[in-house]
Amino acid sequence: MARKRIVTIGGSDAGISAALRARELDPDSDVTVVAADAYPNYSVCGIPYYVSGEVGHWSDLAHRTLADLQSTGMRVRTDTRATAIDVARRRLAVRDADGRGEELRYDALIVATGAVSVRPPITGLEGPDALGPADGVHLLHSMGDTFPIMQTLLARRPTSAVVIGAGYIGLEMAEALTTRGLAVTQIEALPEVLPALDPQLGALVRAELEEHGVEVITNTQVSAITRAAKDGSLTVRAAAKDGRSVTRRADIVLVVAGVRPDTTLAANAGARLGAKGAIEVDAYMRTSLPGVFAAGDCAITHHRLLGRTWLPLGTTAHKQGRTAGENALGGIRWFSGSLGTQVVKVFDLVAARTGLRDHEAEAAQRRWTPATTASRPDDHKAYYPGATPISIRVTGDTSSGLLLGAQLVGRRGAEISKRVDTYATALFHAMTVDGLSDLDLSYTPPLGSPWDAVQIAAQAWMNEHHLAVQRRMLGGVL
């Protein structure tokens, strides 16, 4: 029987996971990874900690070295760009760093091209005279973006920075630059930082930033970045929602305003696109093109509560890639879906979420009547030293009692990531809010309480909404 030829486009989470899975299941398979840069299988999520100096060398961010990958039997073509997919002939056109073109034959192709940084409509970022890394203006998304940032930090010795955007990466970079000793201003167009959380919790994150010296400006849209010819300093101009003009000078500017799926290659080959312009895939990660799969940030996400959406996350990319790699060999594994579980550390605070918030549940147009209850249980028994409160917001359906989501903010030692995982597990198995009280969770005074904070917050939701749940479940009898 002929060896199955599998080609993966993309050397990040999804692409490498797919290639590894194929080699695990069939050591005789012929697996090639086409990576556009020289950094396959690097942790992009770890970049802020290299910038801060907490990770000593950029090579430490490698999940696996190139030699590790090659030792599995796969071929890794670095600095090689895929240029076209010939679906009918099952050929992938590629071009190496020297400009040499070639066609790779495949039996199954996995598109894992990821996402690219959004370049917001800011004067100074577009056109032939656009500012870039040489001027101290940086977009950040890939390992390749990291080195110009470090060059700016080491060569220009900046003392001030503006970070445009206050999502996950923006917050981590604000912390990283502050840790390096820079005076940081963070500008966000939305009303609060970390807009993935409810504003009440985002305000706690803002307070943590300000406590560590970061100037936080929200409800403000950046309109222009200019560079002074005399000293090379940068000026960021913005307008607040109330009409005020905002101007800040800085030595370095980071633009981290989100990403969009990189789908040009697949779309040019005729692949159907879906939510947010991402590649449409089924639960088996098959695209609309025969023999072509897609996974990771370039593909749509099957969300267990929302259905088809686009939610770029590293954890999701790993799972989708593994699914695609297995099915490329002829398997029938299906991706069981995401819940959007996320966590971020901001100085000494940790913020996390899973599932849906009120407005997201309402927009889903299901038969839900969502409601959210806030509570502040301690992370462990108050009599044991060091207890700190965790701000928790639980969202449930008052029609059925179904758990829909949870958000948590607490100190770094409060096990926020593990507690959000408890909610995520409950969501995965479609538990009710009340059902959380029945979970057999661990307890010792230095680490928790007989009723864990997760359960106390769920009980607070039930105390507020149990009559509504019972009334609706009994058809309005109560």
Side-chain angles (χ1 to χ4, degrees), residues 73-117:
M74 70 175 72
R75 284 188 296 275
V76 183
R77 302 276 297 266
T78 58
D79 291 317
T80 300
R81 187 168 294 279
T83 58
I85 302 169
D86 186 332
V87 177
R89 296 172 56 240
R90 299 212 176 195
R91 300 286 192 276
L92 176 69
V94 299
R95 190 170 301 280
D96 67 17
D98 295 324
R100 292 188 295 265
E102 184 182 352
E103 283 192 334
L104 304 180
R105 299 171 63 191
Y106 67 83
D107 298 307
L109 179 69
I110 301 168
V111 180
T113 45
V116 293
S117 296

Side-chain angles (χ1 to χ4, degrees), residues 60 105 163 197 217 253 267 270 276 285 394 406 433:
D60 295 333
R105 299 171 63 191
V163 177
L197 298 185
I217 304 173
V253 173
K276 305 291 186 181
M285 310 313 300
V394 171
V433 179

Side-chain angles (χ1 to χ4, degrees), residues 72-389:
T72 69
M74 70 175 72
R75 284 188 296 275
V76 183
R77 302 276 297 266
T78 58
D79 291 317
T80 300
R81 187 168 294 279
T83 58
I85 302 169
D86 186 332
V87 177
R89 296 172 56 240
R90 299 212 176 195
R91 300 286 192 276
L92 176 69
V94 299
R95 190 170 301 280
D96 67 17
D98 295 324
R100 292 188 295 265
E102 184 182 352
E103 283 192 334
L104 304 180
R105 299 171 63 191
Y106 67 83
D107 298 307
L109 179 69
I110 301 168
V111 180
T113 45
V116 293
S117 296
V118 169
R119 188 177 292 269
I122 296 173
T123 301
L125 293 184
E126 300 287 353
D129 298 321
L131 300 173
D135 307 296
V137 178
H138 302 267
L139 277 73
L140 175 62
H141 180 63
S142 68
M143 277 301 300
D145 299 327
T146 308
F147 303 110
I149 292 174
M150 295 304 295
Q151 176 66 22
T152 296
L153 292 172
L154 296 174
R156 298 178 62 167
R157 302 289 180 181
T159 60
S160 59
V162 169
V163 177
I164 301 172
Y168 288 93
I169 299 299
L171 294 175
E172 290 170 340
M173 289 304 296
E175 176 183 347
L177 294 174
T178 301
T179 300
R180 289 190 70 97
L182 279 70
V184 176
T185 296
Q186 187 145 39
I187 303 177
E188 169 60 47
L190 295 173
E192 193 51 90
V193 304
L194 196 54
L197 298 185
D198 286 347
Q200 298 91 327
L201 298 185
L204 301 178
V205 178
R206 171 204 283 262
E208 182 73 6
L209 290 163
E210 293 173 340
E211 178 70 21
H212 286 81
V214 178
E215 181 191 21
V216 180
I217 304 173
T218 55
N219 261 330
T220 300
Q221 187 77 50
V222 174
S223 58
I225 305 170
T226 57
R227 182 176 184 270
K230 185 175 181 180
D231 61 3
S233 64
L234 299 163
T235 299
V236 177
R237 292 182 172 82
K241 290 288 176 63
D242 61 10
R244 291 179 299 109
S245 295
V246 176
T247 301
R248 293 293 183 274
R249 297 191 67 182
D251 301 315
I252 181 173
V253 173
L254 294 187
V255 182
V256 278
V259 296
R260 59 176 176 80
D262 186 357
T263 60
T264 302
L265 184 71
N268 287 345
R272 187 164 56 245
L273 304 184
K276 305 291 186 181
I279 301 169
E280 186 77 41
V281 293
D282 63 14
Y284 301 93
M285 310 313 300
R286 297 176 300 205
T287 72
S288 60
L289 304 175
V292 180
F293 300 78
D297 292 357
C298 65
I300 70 161
T301 306
H302 293 273
H303 194 288
R304 292 180 71 88
L305 295 171
L306 293 176
R308 295 172 181 271
T309 185
W310 182 64
L311 187 59
L313 291 171
T315 50
T316 300
H318 280 283
K319 295 182 183 76
Q320 289 184 335
R322 186 176 175 86
T323 300
E326 184 164 333
N327 294 340
L329 289 171
I332 52 171
R333 186 182 186 93
W334 58 284
F335 172 56
S336 58
S338 169
L339 289 161
T341 308
Q342 305 166 61
V343 65
V344 63
K345 182 188 81 69
V346 183
F347 294 104
D348 298 317
L349 206 66
V350 177
R353 66 161 290 178
T354 187
L356 307 180
R357 296 155 62 191
D358 272 353
H359 71 281
E360 293 164 340
E362 290 167 356
Q365 297 183 334
R366 305 288 178 90
R367 292 183 177 179
W368 294 326
T369 307
T372 296
T373 295
S375 58
R376 296 186 79 235
D378 286 340
D379 67 325
H380 63 257
K381 290 300 292 183
Y383 60 71
Y384 187 86
T388 60

Side-chain angles (χ1 to χ4, degrees), residues 31 34 64 73 170 216 261 277 283 375 419 424:
V31 178
V34 176
R64 298 170 187 82
V216 180
S375 58
R419 285 184 159 111

Side-chain angles (χ1 to χ4, degrees), residues 377-384 387 419 422 435-459:
D378 286 340
D379 67 325
H380 63 257
K381 290 300 292 183
Y383 60 71
Y384 187 86
R419 285 184 159 111
T422 302
L436 285 163
S437 291
D438 294 328
L439 293 177
D440 184 20
L441 304 181
S442 63
Y443 161 59
T444 186
L447 301 175
S449 300
W451 293 110
D452 188 76
V454 166
Q455 296 170 310
I456 293 171
Q459 291 164 3

